[in-house]
Amino acid sequence: MGDTSADARSLVIKGLNKEYVAGKPILRDINLTIEGRGITAIIGPSGTGKSTLVRCINRLVNPTSGSILFQGQDMAKLSGLALRQARRKIGMVHQEYNLVERLSVMENVLSGRLGYVPAWKAWLRKFDPADIKKAFGLLDAVGLGDFATRRADQLSGGQRQRVGIARALMQDPDLILADEPTSSLDPKTSVEVMEIMVRLAGARNTPVVINIHNVDLAKRFSNRIIGMARGTVVFDGPPGDLKDHHLADIYGGESWMEAA
Amino acid sequence: MSTAAPAATSTREAFLPNWPRRFAFIALALYCLYAMSTLDITWDRFVRGLDQGAKFLDRLWPPNFAPDKLSLMSEGLLESVQIAILATAVGIVISIPIGLMSARNLVPVWVSWIGRVIIAIARSFHPMIVAILFVKAVGFGALAGILALIVSSIGFIAKLFAEAIEEMNMKQVEAVRATGASWLNVLFMGVIPQVVARFVGFSAYQLDSNLRNSTMVGIVGGGGIGATLFTAYQRFDYDFVMTILLAIIAIIMVSELLSSWLRKVFQ
Amino acid sequence: MSAGATTPAAPMATRIWERFTPQQRMGRFATYLVVVAAIVWSFRQIEIIPEFLYDAPQQSWDLFQRMWPIDWAYYPKGVHDALIETFHIATLGTLLALILGFPIALMAAKNITKSTTLNWIAQFLLVASRSVNSLIWALLFVAIFGPGAIAGVLAIGFRSIGFVGKLLAEAFEEARPGPIEALTSTGAPPLSILSKGYWPQVEPSFWSVALFRWDINIRESAILGLVGAGGIGVALDSALNNLYWDQVGLILLVIFAIVIVTEFVTSYVRGKII
C-alpha cells in the first residue's frame, strides 16, 4: 500500500494561478501546504475559485501557472500515462455524484480500479476477486451492502453519493478531493454523507480536501478551514478560530449571518 | 451493518448475468453465419472481388473532366436540383393539410385515420418504384420524377408534422383557446409557433433527401442526372461516372450546409 | 422618444414591439427570396409535355387493369426466395454498417476525438457515404463483385454508414460529461473511459438507430435488384422487362406487406427494449 505516513501524502501548492479569460484571474497566487492527514475544508462564495482550486489538483482544470507538488511530482506538469498514474492515487467525490447511471452499483464502485485494470478486462468485467471482495467491503461500510446489483439510477441522491465515496476509496487513494459533495443533498443526508466520508477516510489515514459552501458542515467536520475570497486565501486556521468577522471578510455582507 | 457469517459475503453476486441479452447476441451471430452461407457470400468470392475492385478503382480515377462531358453533366445536375426543389415545395404544401389532418389532438379520430392511411401508403413504396409507376402514367422525364418525390416527401413531412403536433404542449393551445380565438387563430398562435422550428428542420432534411433521390430517379426514366449516370455506367465510361459522383457529393454537401443555415435562421 | 408629453409625471417612451431583430428580419427575408426564386426558376426550366399529362389518368387506369388479377401463383416460384434474400441483404447490410460506422462515429465525435482534422475527415466520410444513393452504391458493387447478393449487402452497408455514423456521433456528443470526468479522475485509460463511461450512455441510442436503419434498409433492399444486386428487385426487374404486369402487381403487394410487417416489428421491439 506504500508509505502511508503523513509526509508521503502531503500536498504543496506554490504560486498557483488560473485564468479562464485572459486578464481575469480566478485564482491568484495561491500558496498552500496541506499535510497528509486530516480534513481540510475550503469555504468561500460562489465563483471565488474554490472548485477551480480543487480541480487543479487532479488536473481536471489546467492551471495557468504555478506548481502542485504531490508524491514527488508536480501535478501541473504531468501528462499522458504519468498523469493517469498520478490520478490513480487521488480519489474524488463529485457534486453531482457522477455515477454511470446505466451501470450497477458494483460496476460503479469497481470503476475506481479502472486505472489499474487493462481495458479488455474492464470491458469483460473480469476483475480480481480481491477487488470484488474489497468492493463489497466498501459497500458494507457505506451501508449499501445489498445494493450491489442495482442500477445506479434507481438510487436516491444520498445513496448515490455514498457509492461515489466507495468508488473513491476503491482507488486506495493517498488523497481524497471532494468538490461540493453535499450541495445536491438535503440537510440530513448531507450530514450523513459527510459523516461517512470523514470516518472512512480517517480510518485509512487519508487526507481529505473538501470544497464546501456550508460553513456549519465545514466547522463541524474539518480540522482546518481555508477561506477564499476573490481568488486568494483570506483565512487559514482551525474551525475554532473562524469568527464572524472572518466570515464577513470571506462572504461579504452581514445579513446572512443573522440568526433566523 | 452485516451480521451474516463471513461465508455469506463470499457468495454474494457481484454481477447479474443478463441471459436474454447473451442469448440475443449468440442468435445474431448464428444468424449472420447462416445468412452469409445462404447468400453464397464466401471469403473466396470476396477476395476475388477485391482484385476486381482494384481494377475498377483504377478505371474510375482520374475523373473525366472533358468539356462536353461536363456540359452534359451540368444539364443533368441542374435538372435534378430543379426536381428536388419543386418536389419539396409542392410536397410541403400538400403535407401541411395532411399533417394537420392526422394529428389526433387536433381533429376527430376518424379524420386522423384518413390522414394516417394516406401517409402510410405514401411511405410504403420506395421512390424508385413510385417513379416507375409515374413514368408509365405520365411518360419519361422530369415530371415523373417530381411526382414520385412529392409522394415520398408527403410520407416524411406529413408524418413528422403530425408527430410534432401530437407531441406539443396542449396547455399552450388551451390557453389560446380560452381567449375565445377561432380555430384558425388557435392554429396560428398556439400550434404553429410550437412546431415551426421542427417543421423547418425536417423540411430542410427532406430537401436534402429529395436531392439525393432525384439523382437516381433518372435511372428508371424520371429525369435528372440519374439517366446520364446510368448511361455512362452501361457504356463502361467509369471515369465519367466518377465525375458525376463527385459532383453529386459536392452538391449534397452544399445543400446540407444550406439546410443547417436555414434552420438557424428560423430557430 | 416620447410623443409630446407635457405632464410632470415621467413620460412613457412609445415602445415598439418587434418580433424579430433587424438582422433576423434580413435573414428571413433573404431566405424567402432565395426559396421563391429557386422555385420559380425550377418551374420554368422543367419541361412538362402537356400531352403526357392529359394522358395520365388513362395510362394509370390502363396500368391498374393490367395488374389485376394478381398472379398469386407466381409467388412460391419467383418471389418467396427473393423475399428471403432481400431480408438477409437488409440485415447483413445493417450489421456491416454498424460495425464500420462505429469507429467513424468515434472519430467524428468532437468530445472523443479532439483533433479537428480527424473530425473533418470522419464527417466527410459520413457525408460521402450518405450522398451516394444505395442504388448507385449497388451499381458500383455490381461492377466489382458481379450481380448478386454480395453487391447488395455491401451497397446497403456502405450507404448506411453515413446514417448510422452521424446519429451515433451525435449520441456520443450528447453524453453527459459528469461521469466521464469522474472516470478520468480515477486515472482510467481512454479505452476504459470509452467502454465504461461513454458506451453505457450511448447504448440505447445505438440500438434505436440500428432498428431505425434496419427498417429503412428493408425498403431499400427491395429495389436494389433493379440493378442486379439481388433480392426481390431482381424479380421486379424481370417482370417489368417482360411486361408481366400481373406479376408486377404481386411483387408490389408483397413489398407493401413486408414494409407493414417491418413497421410492426420495429415498433414492438422498440417498445420492449428502449
Side-chain angles (χ1 to χ4, degrees), chain A residues 57-79:
Chain A
I57 298 176
N58 66 355
R59 289 282 299 285
L60 289 180
V61 165
N62 290 322
T64 311
S65 65
S67 66
I68 302 173
L69 297 163
F70 185 66
Q71 302 198 318
Q73 289 179 302
D74 183 0
M75 292 295 297
K77 302 228 174 350
L78 295 178
S79 65

Side-chain angles (χ1 to χ4, degrees), chain B residues 21 31-32 39 49 52-53 82 123-124 126 128-129 136-138 143 212 216 229 233 253 256 262, chain C residues 31 41 45 52-53 56 59 85 88 95 127 130 133 135-136 139 144-145 203 219 223 252 256 263:
Chain B
R21 210 185 145 95
Y31 166 79
C32 283
L39 294 181
Q52 263 293 87
Q82 288 154 0
R123 284 186 72 214
S124 300
H126 197 273
M128 284 291 284
I129 297 185
K136 179 75 171 74
V138 300
L143 183 61
R212 275 182 228 146
M216 55 116 203
L229 180 72
Y233 177 82
M253 285 178 104
E256 284 199 352
L262 205 79
Chain C
T31 316
W41 166 72
Q45 300 278 349
F52 282 171
L53 205 51
Q59 288 286 346
E85 197 177 69
H88 290 326
L95 287 171
V127 171
R130 44 174 204 276
N133 219 280
L135 212 61
I136 301 184
L139 286 178
I144 299 178
F145 291 93
E203 200 184 338
R219 272 172 255 237
I223 54 131
L252 289 184
F256 184 68
E263 280 257 349

Side-chain angles (χ1 to χ4, degrees), chain C residues 38 45 184 238:
Chain C
Q45 300 278 349
T184 314
S238 67

Side-chain angles (χ1 to χ4, degrees), chain C residues 42 45 48 94 105 122 127 161 200-202 205-206 215 225 232 248 260:
Chain C
S42 308
Q45 300 278 349
I48 300 179
T94 312
V127 171
I161 289 178
Q201 297 194 58
V202 161
S205 301
F206 179 83
D215 181 14
I232 202 168
V248 170
I260 302 277

Side-chain angles (χ1 to χ4, degrees), chain B residues 192-212:
Chain B
I192 302 284
Q194 292 192 60
V195 298
V196 77
R198 278 174 75 174
F199 189 86
V200 171
F202 47 75
S203 300
Y205 181 82
Q206 187 59 23
L207 175 61
D208 218 37
S209 176
N210 281 343
L211 199 55
R212 275 182 228 146

Side-chain angles (χ1 to χ4, degrees), chain C residues 16 29 64 105 130 152 154-155 172 177 180 204 213 221 224:
Chain C
I16 303 172
F29 181 68
F64 284 123
R130 44 174 204 276
L154 289 171
F172 275 115
I180 309 298
R213 190 67 214 173
S221 309
L224 288 187

